[in-house]
Amino acid sequence: QVQLVESGGGLVQAGGSLRLSCAASGLTFSRYNMGWFRQAPGKEREFVTAITWSRGSTYYKDSVKGRFTISRDNAKNTVSLQMNSLKPEDTAVYYCAASGSNVRLASLAVYDYWGQGTQVTVSS
């Protein structure tokens, strides 16, 4: 059974930091591209960042560039999201996802497996 389990969410003041982690099991983790998405109340789920399995290339939503950093540890089957300089508009449920696709990693449609999400709340 494939499982992706997020952790590290919580409540933080604007300008603060959080580090999210996603633990994967039941799949050949090193061969999957990994991504983070988020969904705020009343809004569509949106792409935040992704990292490839081949070279560890990274991609970011424009609004988080310079603030968020994605990384992966294939030996531990984990992917992390370091979030700095958090803003109230970053408040959302954050989801970890795994994709076997080589293209369109900003699209929800190419992801095969999803975690159940972890809440991030940024207060002003």
Side-chain angles (χ1 to χ4, degrees), residues 41-107:
K43 296 187 177 181
E44 299 292 324
R45 191 171 300 185
E46 66 175 1
F47 170 79
V48 178
T49 181
I51 185 166
T52 67
W53 66 266
S54 56
R55 288 281 298 171
S57 300
T58 58
Y59 305 90
Y60 295 92
K61 173 181 172 65
D62 286 344
S63 64
V64 308
K65 289 180 179 178
R67 299 190 298 121
F68 290 10
T69 303
I70 188 173
S71 61
R72 67 189 296 163
D73 187 338
N74 289 343
K76 296 182 178 180
N77 286 5
T78 59
V79 60
S80 298
L81 179 62
Q82 179 67 44
M83 304 186 294
N84 299 326
S85 301
L86 283 162
K87 304 175 180 180
E89 51 262 46
D90 295 318
T91 295
V93 176
Y94 283 70
Y95 297 89
C96 174
S99 175
S101 175
N102 294 315
V103 296
R104 303 201 314 114
L105 292 179
S107 173

Side-chain angles (χ1 to χ4, degrees), residues 101-117:
S101 175
N102 294 315
V103 296
R104 303 201 314 114
L105 292 179
S107 173
L108 282 73
V110 305
Y111 288 83
D112 304 295
Y113 305 106
W114 294 83
Q116 61 183 340

Side-chain angles (χ1 to χ4, degrees), residues 11-16 86-89 91 121-124:
L11 175 64
V12 65
Q13 293 186 40
L86 283 162
K87 304 175 180 180
E89 51 262 46
T91 295
T121 303
V122 184
S123 62
S124 60

Side-chain angles (χ1 to χ4, degrees), residues 18-59:
L18 283 174
R19 185 176 180 87
L20 307 183
S21 294
C22 173
S25 61
L27 77 168
T28 306
F29 179 79
S30 62
R31 295 189 178 183
Y32 280 83
N33 302 310
M34 301 298 298
W36 288 95
F37 290 75
R38 67 188 183 188
Q39 187 167 22
K43 296 187 177 181
E44 299 292 324
R45 191 171 300 185
E46 66 175 1
F47 170 79
V48 178
T49 181
I51 185 166
T52 67
W53 66 266
S54 56
R55 288 281 298 171
S57 300
T58 58
Y59 305 90

